[in-house]
Amino acid sequence: MPRKPDPTIKPAILEKVTAHLATTRIEDVSVRSLGRVLGTSAYPIVYHFGSRDGLSEAVVEHLAACWPASALDPSADDAALADHLVATFGGLDDPQRALSARLAFELGSVEALGGRDRQRRFHRAHVAALTAWCRAHGYDGQAADRAARFAVMTARGAQWNAVVDGAHADTDAALRRIAHDLAARSAFAAA
C-alpha cells in the first residue's frame, strides 16, 4: 500500500525555494539544483510541482497569498483607485512583494515564449478593472480602454523600476500619481 504524502512537505519546499529565489535568478535554477538546496533529490519537487516552471508559479502564488487581492469597485473615488493600484502593484518595500514582482516579470517573459498565458490573463484582468472604472467616471469606450491599458503599463513600469533600481524608486508614489492622472482626465472627459 502506498504511503500517504506528508502535507507539510509542499509548504516547506515553497518556503525554502522562496528564500533561495530571493538571491537567485529563475534561469539559474533547475530541479536538480533545487533538490540540492533542499537537501534531497529532485523527486519531491517533481512529485509536488511537476516541473521547475510549476514550482516557480507556485512560489508566485504562495507570495501573492500573503496579501489579499484588491478588487476595484468601478464607482470608487480616486482615493480608492490609488489604494487599489498600490495594493495591486505596490508595497515593494516588502521583500516578499518585491520578489513576487520580480518573479512575475521573469515568468511572464518565459510564458510569452512558451505559449502559456497566466501573466497575460492577470494583465487583461487589471486592464478590464481599470477600463470599468474609467467608463464609470466619464471616459467613452475606446478612451477608457486606452487609458486603462496605459495606466496598467505605467504601473508595471513603476514595478520594473523598483525591481531594477529599488534604491531610487518610490513605486507607491508613482502609482498614486497614475491614479491622480486617471481621475484628472476623467473629470476632463466628463466635462
Side-chain angles (χ1 to χ4, degrees), residues 78-92:
D78 56 332
L81 173 64
D83 291 343
H84 169 75
L85 290 176
V86 169
T88 302
F89 299 103
L92 301 182

Side-chain angles (χ1 to χ4, degrees), residues 67-112:
W67 55 91
S70 172
L72 178 62
D73 178 357
S75 65
D77 64 9
D78 56 332
L81 173 64
D83 291 343
H84 169 75
L85 290 176
V86 169
T88 302
F89 299 103
L92 301 182
D93 51 338
D94 177 322
Q96 286 196 326
R97 286 190 70 128
L99 175 60
S100 181
R102 190 197 95 204
L103 293 175
F105 278 109
E106 290 182 48
L107 288 171
S109 298
V110 172
E111 280 184 3

